[in-house]
Amino acid sequence: MTVNLLAGPILRRTTKNRVCVWLAVANPLALQLTITDSQETALGQSKLDDLTEQRVQLGKNLWVYLLQARPNEDTGGLDGKDPVFLADTLMYYRLDEVDAEGNARPLDLSDLAYGSLKYPSFFIPSKLKQLLHGSCRKPHGGGFDPKKQQPMPDALSHGHTLLEKTYDNLELRPSLLLLTGDQIYADDVAISLLAMLRQQSLVVVGKQESLPLIDAPLMLEPSSPTRLDPSSIPLHGRKQVLMEKHGRWAHFSSGESENHLFTFGEYAAMYLYAFGNSSKWEPVWNWQDLAAIGVAESETTQEGEDKHSKAKAAWLKQAKPLRSYHETLPQVRQLLANIPTYMIFDDHDVTDDWNITGNWYDGVRGSAMGRRIVSNALAAYWAFQAWGNDPDNFHKDLAFSVSLHLNDDFIDRDGVTRMHEGNSQCLNGDAIDSAIGDRYDLHMWKSRGWGFSIPTEPPIIAMDSRTQRQYENKYYPAVLMDRYALDWLRVEWAKLKTGQDIDDNTGPIIIAATPVMGFSAIEHIQQIALWLAGWLESWKPMRILEKLIDKEGFITGWMVNKLDAESWSSNKEGFVGFMDTLLRRMNIKRCVFLSGDVHYAFTANAQFKYQGRTLQCCQLTSTALSNQPNAKQYKFLEHAAGHDTGIKTHRHWALMPNQRWTSKVQLLQAENSKLRVFAECNLGLVKFGNGLPVSHTLLNGNSNLVYLLPAQRGE
């Protein structure tokens, strides 16, 4: 059978006990993963008997695989110990299609191998020496290089350039890639790209998906529609639909949602494109072709003005950076095939401002349309990102619920009816669809398995600070991790400590989507603005007005959304609760925070003191891979960074001594530049020595910025 490869292969969770490889294909195949040494001797294989648990159908023409190879009995095991893949040894993997007679035919992956190698390669480090990290890949968000007078490439491609030079040198070759959020932009999509994604989503899913507009059809007039067909919305016209009232308002808050992804198929197509575009899909580059498909007309036009002026202006602005991103996709695909890659979401993987306040959560959760779009985003996130981080985090019922909903055209409806025996009424087709949809939404919204850990040395913990928030007031900045999330953090640390040699001086690498120790200049502005909003709301007439309209705290909520105020420092109680968990409950004395989100990069040495204990940490922030600030934002960042040249100290002077804390943050200056804050697109490279980071390099394709950390300076 011909292999119709849609995406991948991508090397995912890779430890001494297991190697996982992810890929997506258009037709079901009996695929087997084999790990080999340089002599092509098999070191481990996936089992064909496990294939039903290692693949899932997500559409008529979309099958996602997470093949998992365990080491053979004679691989690396010493003195009666369990077999393991050898550390610090270059290994390779092969994918075979096995026919009914058991004959294996290797897939041709030669275009993904580096140098003279025959297959994609990787290694498992005994100790971390180098890793890559970055976030925020907006296809049309790349910057402009004034020296070369051309758009800058997606910075993730710099990882490919590095591997081309170091693939056979394990001292210099990075061993991990950590993507810390916004691997796709679901809300801010280029018009040329959406035109292609809409078309390809129909191909991979095999049908036009619709969205529910309301929960209870009987509440509407008989002539009112109950579902939305996204194909009926012209290109660059989805923002108006998202904001439409009368029971259809999705309660989203993205300001750039004219081409927002809606269906699972569209989210899936975006991932298939962003992960390397192995099918060589092309965005619709030509304006006349876009207009022929159907483009939203501007709300107001001047006499003689193009009726599509807003859409055309967006197309003109997006064309060059999107083309640059598109051209780097083969390099990104090769990189992802050759380096163990881990991914955690931020907001744009779903939609801008996802769960930013309790009011946002309640509004979207209460909207049938908004709820389903978020479910579609999370289902795609599970299949394309989360599953490969740690397959053990997800039980088979989640996969079944997703597959059941997406393939409901092919299910045994009599069987589903039997699942609901005991109901007072016989279930008809609509009731079955509703039950399947409810199950799908609940699984997506209530899952708590998104965070993960990696047993490297030093160990890595990736936190979910998006779906486990605590809302003390529905309009105020949230606690980014509730007590259950903090308990999860403690459990992951305990698991790591019982599985490897970790002492009290071990400093874990903690992936936090937003910087824990942030850039003070911007965070102070946010805090002042929030204080002013609170002061205005303390004015008695304003309190009375807000109470009358049942929107107490609304001004603060508006300010939170406007400023994107979801830094750790925005909610001091949540910040201290998190730091207290690290210090006292986990007994961590030092750590590394790895972050993205903010669209500028910096390296900071930091310290937090609380109740007689001190946490020494460094904050390494690399962002964006492809979403450069505009000219005004760039100028502001440059000005703000110029005034932040020393150690910034923040103190909480509480009445009770045990409630007082002190935080110090020092932005470091690059060795080869005066810059402390860098706003161009970049990919972070972290070098370690004796378990501690010694340097943080921002790869940008021109003059890479190198920041030396205190351990290297001898401090």
Side-chain angles (χ1 to χ4, degrees):
M1 182 181 292
T2 302
V3 179
N4 191 348
L5 186 63
L6 297 174
I10 300 176
L11 192 59
R12 297 305 314 270
R13 187 174 184 86
T14 301
T15 68
K16 63 181 182 180
N17 303 313
R18 175 172 52 179
V19 174
C20 301
V21 171
W22 179 98
L23 69 158
V25 297
N27 46 304
L29 302 168
L31 293 177
Q32 188 169 44
L33 167 68
T34 301
I35 310 302
T36 72
D37 61 15
S38 58
Q39 305 301 315
E40 296 195 41
T41 302
L43 304 176
Q45 278 187 322
S46 62
K47 296 180 179 179
L48 289 175
D49 291 344
D50 296 335
L51 199 55
T52 55
E53 297 179 359
Q54 296 182 9
R55 75 178 180 189
V56 60
Q57 183 179 10
L58 300 177
K60 183 179 181 181
N61 301 303
L62 177 60
W63 294 77
V64 170
Y65 288 71
L66 186 65
L67 300 173
Q68 304 171 42
R70 301 280 184 176
N72 295 337
E73 290 299 324
D74 58 349
T75 300
L78 299 174
D79 300 327
K81 294 184 178 179
D82 293 335
V84 294
F85 293 113
L86 294 177
D88 303 320
T89 302
L90 196 62
M91 292 181 283
Y92 312 84
Y93 67 86
R94 187 181 73 239
L95 294 174
D96 296 325
E97 181 188 354
V98 183
D99 63 22
E101 287 73 35
N103 301 312
R105 180 176 67 89
L107 304 190
D108 182 9
L109 303 179
S110 57
D111 61 325
L112 298 178
Y114 280 106
S116 60
L117 302 181
K118 186 177 180 181
Y119 297 109
S121 60
F122 66 97
F123 74 103
I124 300 169
S126 56
K127 293 185 179 181
L128 284 178
K129 294 180 181 177
Q130 306 210 39
L131 65 78
L132 298 170
H133 75 112
S135 74
C136 306
R137 284 185 72 213
K138 185 166 75 171
H140 60 284
F144 186 81
D145 188 335
K147 294 181 181 179
K148 299 179 180 179
Q149 287 296 301
Q150 63 185 26
M152 298 181 71
D154 172 11
L156 192 54
S157 65
H158 302 323
H160 161 77
T161 303
L162 181 59
L163 250 67
E164 277 190 316
K165 299 175 182 177
T166 64
Y167 71 90
D168 58 351
N169 185 339
L170 303 193
E171 291 295 316
L172 299 178
R173 176 175 175 164
S175 57
L176 293 176
L177 170 62
L178 305 175
L179 299 176
T180 59
D182 297 341
Q183 278 63 260
I184 64 167
Y185 273 66
D187 56 307
D188 190 354
V189 181
I191 185 173
S192 298
L193 186 53
L194 181 65
M196 180 270 286
L197 296 178
R198 288 197 324 181
Q199 178 184 1
Q200 295 300 338
S201 70
L202 297 178
V203 175
V204 297
V205 174
K207 63 181 180 181
Q208 176 59 61
E209 300 169 79
S210 61
L211 298 174
L213 293 177
I214 58 169
D215 286 316
L218 295 180
M219 294 175 60
L220 283 181
E221 296 294 330
S223 60
S224 299
T226 61
R227 301 191 69 84
L228 172 70
D229 178 0
S231 66
S232 66
I233 308 170
L235 295 170
H236 214 68
R238 293 190 172 188
K239 184 175 183 178
Q240 182 179 356
V241 175
L242 284 170
M243 301 304 175
E244 192 174 350
K245 299 182 181 179
H246 308 301
R248 305 181 192 177
W249 194 356
H251 288 268
F252 284 178
S253 54
S254 173
E256 304 291 338
S257 57
E258 286 83 1
N259 298 299
H260 202 300
L261 303 181
F262 278 179
T263 67
F264 172 85
E266 290 170 355
Y267 277 92
M270 175 65 93
Y271 280 116
L272 295 172
Y273 178 74
F275 282 174
N277 193 28
S278 60
S279 296
K280 296 181 171 53
W281 294 344
E282 290 280 342
V284 180
W285 301 112
N286 185 276
W287 173 254
Q288 283 72 26
D289 292 338
L290 285 171
I293 293 171
V295 178
E297 297 182 7
S298 302
E299 294 180 6
T300 58
T301 57
Q302 300 295 326
E303 186 175 350
E305 186 179 7
D306 187 337
K307 65 179 180 179
H308 301 139
S309 58
K310 289 185 178 180
K312 191 169 186 178
W315 169 77
L316 287 169
K317 182 179 180 181
Q318 297 162 354
K320 288 185 178 179
L322 178 61
R323 177 75 74 171
S324 179
Y325 177 96
H326 180 81
E327 291 172 352
T328 63
L329 287 173
Q331 300 171 25
V332 168
R333 180 173 176 241
Q334 188 171 3
L335 171 67
L336 296 179
N338 287 272
I339 186 168
T341 303
Y342 299 83
M343 316 173 188
I344 190 70
F345 49 44
D346 199 12
D347 56 344
H348 291 283
D349 302 85
V350 177
T351 185
D352 190 24
D353 298 331
W354 179 35
N355 294 342
I356 189 170
T357 62
N359 184 61
W360 194 101
Y361 178 93
D362 291 342
V364 176
R365 183 73 178 87
S367 159
M369 178 181 173
R371 182 168 66 247
R372 182 57 51 81
I373 294 174
V374 171
S375 296
N376 290 335
L378 282 172
Y381 171 75
W382 165 74
F384 289 83
Q385 296 198 58
W387 193 15
N389 292 327
D390 190 346
D392 297 338
N393 281 355
F394 304 99
H395 52 77
K396 61 183 180 181
D397 191 42
L398 184 144
F400 178 72
S401 294
V402 173
S403 185
L404 182 68
H405 172 72
L406 296 175
N407 299 299
D408 61 357
D409 287 351
F410 317 110
I411 64 172
D412 173 10
R413 293 184 176 270
D414 290 336
V416 175
T417 301
R418 288 193 296 272
M419 291 167 55
H420 294 266
E421 286 179 354
N423 286 357
S424 59
Q425 297 179 338
C426 178
L427 292 176
N428 57 30
D430 290 340
I432 292 175
D433 289 341
S434 178
I436 291 173
D438 288 345
R439 174 176 177 165
Y440 176 69
D441 290 338
L442 280 168
H443 253 125
M444 293 301 100
W445 279 75
K446 299 304 180 182
S447 289
R448 278 183 168 262
W450 305 121
F452 59 92
S453 60
I454 315 170
T456 48
E457 187 178 334
I460 300 171
I461 304 177
M463 303 186 304
D464 167 14
S465 57
R466 276 287 167 188
T467 73
Q468 300 181 85
R469 296 184 169 188
Q470 179 178 324
Y471 305 109
E472 298 161 345
N473 181 300
K474 66 179 183 178
Y475 291 111
Y476 281 63
V479 173
L480 298 188
M481 294 180 71
D482 64 18
R483 62 188 181 93
Y484 300 104
L486 296 179
D487 285 343
W488 169 88
L489 188 61
R490 295 170 60 195
V491 169
E492 289 300 303
W493 184 236
K495 286 162 55 178
L496 289 167
K497 291 178 73 173
T498 55
Q500 61 190 108
D501 184 20
I502 294 176
D503 58 29
D504 289 342
N505 293 315
T506 300
I509 301 167
I510 299 176
I511 299 176
T514 58
V516 177
M517 297 296 192
F519 179 26
S520 300
I522 289 182
E523 292 190 353
H524 280 169
I525 291 173
Q526 291 179 340
Q527 290 166 15
I528 291 171
L530 290 173
W531 177 84
L532 287 173
W535 175 82
L536 179 61
E537 287 180 324
S538 68
W539 184 40
K540 190 173 181 179
M542 188 61 67
R543 289 204 312 270
I544 294 172
L545 176 61
E546 287 189 338
K547 192 169 184 178
L548 284 173
I549 62 175
D550 194 26
K551 290 186 177 293
E552 294 175 271
F554 173 77
I555 296 176
T556 300
W558 176 85
M559 189 65 73
V560 169
N561 281 292
K562 193 72 175 176
L563 297 175
D564 200 21
E566 48 188 341
S567 63
W568 288 87
S569 64
S570 294
N571 188 301
K572 294 294 194 296
E573 183 177 344
F575 171 69
V576 174
F578 168 60
M579 300 300 278
D580 177 62
T581 298
L582 297 179
L583 268 174
R584 293 195 309 117
R585 301 180 183 276
M586 297 168 64
N587 197 32
I588 291 175
K589 297 178 181 177
R590 66 175 73 215
C591 71
V592 177
F593 293 119
L594 218 60
S595 304
D597 177 73
V598 290
H599 301 172
Y600 53 86
F602 64 92
T603 304
N605 187 37
Q607 183 185 88
F608 181 83
K609 291 185 176 182
Y610 183 57
Q611 295 191 5
R613 297 179 181 235
T614 301
L615 177 68
Q616 299 285 354
C617 53
C618 56
Q619 174 70 62
L620 310 181
T621 305
S622 173
T623 178
L625 292 168
S626 181
N627 196 358
Q628 192 158 304
N630 61 39
K632 289 183 178 179
Q633 293 168 334
Y634 191 99
K635 188 173 182 180
F636 169 77
L637 285 169
E638 189 177 49
H639 178 76
H643 289 78
D644 197 344
T645 57
I647 298 176
K648 298 297 182 182
T649 303
H650 315 278
R651 291 186 174 88
H652 180 63
W653 294 106
L655 181 63
M656 303 298 293
N658 65 348
Q659 294 179 346
R660 298 171 189 167
W661 55 267
T662 302
S663 173
K664 294 182 180 180
V665 181
Q666 179 185 20
L667 294 185
L668 302 182
Q669 185 173 304
E671 291 296 301
N672 53 342
S673 169
K674 295 182 180 180
L675 293 174
R676 297 178 188 272
V677 176
F678 186 63
E680 293 181 10
C681 296
N682 66 90
L683 173 67
L685 170 65
V686 187
K687 295 184 179 181
F688 291 84
N690 298 320
L692 297 173
V694 296
S695 70
H696 186 213
T697 302
L698 301 178
L699 307 176
N700 59 52
N702 292 319
S703 54
N704 299 331
L705 273 67
V706 181
Y707 297 84
L708 298 182
L709 291 152
Q712 177 71 9
R713 297 172 184 269
E715 296 178 12

